[in-house]
Amino acid sequence: NSLYQALGEQAGITKITHQMIVNFAQDERIKARFKGVNMQKFKAGFALYVCAQVGGPCEYQGDSMQIIHAGYNYTNTEFNAVVDNLILAMEQCGIPVAVQNQLLAKLAPSYKDVVYL
Ligand code: HEM
């Protein structure tokens, strides 16, 4: 699969996810949301989810996006912040913009399962 390969396969996706988490910690819009969360588990789960979404050879075995994010009243602003930090992480990892946009297109449908406001 070419999108999976363009992201650097599992190693590349893990690196992007790691960098995204580093970026979260500096973003006042969302950093409090991750206080007390097991970020090793989050990193592994998020990377597996992305791998599966881009057609990689991974099976995401976690709960659905809807179940995981239900009840927190995440806002549009918070959703955009997560996306901003992912884009920044991809930039930092040298992923071309055209490839960035393909991943964002795969994740965009999760909006309805994350944001209810
Ligand atoms: C593109 C949108 C999003 C995607 C694809 C996404 C994906 C995920 C995935 C796959 C997990 C599970 C990780 C694991 O296995 O532990 C997760 C957990 C989590 N997400 Fe999201 N997420 C998104 C948006 C957001 C937003 C906007 C917030 C709030 C700022 C958020 C906060 C969290 C938190 C706090 C957890 C950890 C839950 C816990 O383990 O207690 N997510 N997300």
Side-chain angles (χ1 to χ4, degrees):
N1 176 282
S2 63
L3 178 52
Y4 175 67
Q5 277 160 6
L7 290 167
E9 307 194 342
Q10 255 134 315
I13 292 168
T14 297
K15 200 172 144 216
I16 292 164
T17 304
H18 177 86
Q19 192 58 53
M20 180 184 77
I21 290 168
V22 170
N23 298 339
F24 281 175
Q26 305 182 45
D27 191 326
E28 297 299 336
R29 292 173 294 179
I30 54 170
K31 68 180 192 188
R33 290 294 203 173
F34 292 91
K35 227 185 139 195
V37 170
N38 179 342
M39 294 311 278
Q40 281 307 119
K41 179 181 174 290
F42 174 86
K43 182 161 89 173
F46 191 93
L48 267 183
Y49 180 79
V50 168
C51 175
Q53 291 299 307
V54 300
C58 306
E59 230 185 294
Y60 172 73
Q61 309 249 27
D63 290 324
S64 69
M65 291 301 99
Q66 192 168 11
I67 299 273
I68 288 171
H69 300 95
Y72 292 97
N73 295 323
Y74 293 131
T75 64
N76 184 52
T77 301
E78 290 173 317
F79 186 89
N80 289 338
V82 166
V83 171
D84 283 348
N85 286 301
L86 174 59
I87 293 170
L88 180 59
M90 289 192 285
E91 278 295 327
Q92 291 162 324
C93 292
I95 304 295
V97 170
V99 175
Q100 294 178 23
N101 287 336
Q102 287 178 63
L103 174 57
L104 297 176
K106 300 281 186 192
L107 299 184
S110 70
Y111 181 87
K112 65 177 189 314
D113 298 322
V114 173
V115 178
Y116 298 93
L117 294 177

